[in-house]
Amino acid sequence: MTGVLVALTISAAVLFGLLAFAVLRGRNVGAGSAIVLFLFGFFIAGTGAYKPIYNLCQAIADALTHLTA
C-alpha cells in the first residue's frame, strides 16, 4: 500500500490570530509571545514591510518542508 500525502493550507493571518488569542488568554509573556503578536499584527496590517517579512516566512516554511522530504 502506498502512502497518501495530504496537504493542509491555512492562512497565516488565521494561524497567528489563533496563536495570539492563546497567548493573550494564557497571559504568557516573553519573546515567543512578542513574535507571535508582531507577526499577527503584521499579516493583518499589510504594511510596506510586508514583502521582506513575507519572503522570510515563506523561506522558513520552504526550509521546513524540505527537512521532511
Side-chain angles (χ1 to χ4, degrees), residues 35-69:
I35 291 170
V36 167
L37 293 174
F38 168 76
L39 289 173
F40 175 63
F42 163 74
F43 278 108
I44 293 300
T47 65
Y50 173 81
K51 191 69 171 173
I53 296 174
Y54 177 80
N55 289 339
L56 175 64
C57 291
Q58 188 66 40
I60 291 170
D62 289 341
L64 291 175
T65 303
H66 289 16
L67 287 177
T68 60

Side-chain angles (χ1 to χ4, degrees), residues 10-53:
I10 185 167
S11 168
V14 172
L15 176 65
F16 288 121
L18 292 173
L19 290 172
F21 177 77
V23 166
L24 292 172
R25 183 82 172 148
R27 299 184 193 267
N28 295 330
V29 180
S33 301
I35 291 170
V36 167
L37 293 174
F38 168 76
L39 289 173
F40 175 63
F42 163 74
F43 278 108
I44 293 300
T47 65
Y50 173 81
K51 191 69 171 173
I53 296 174

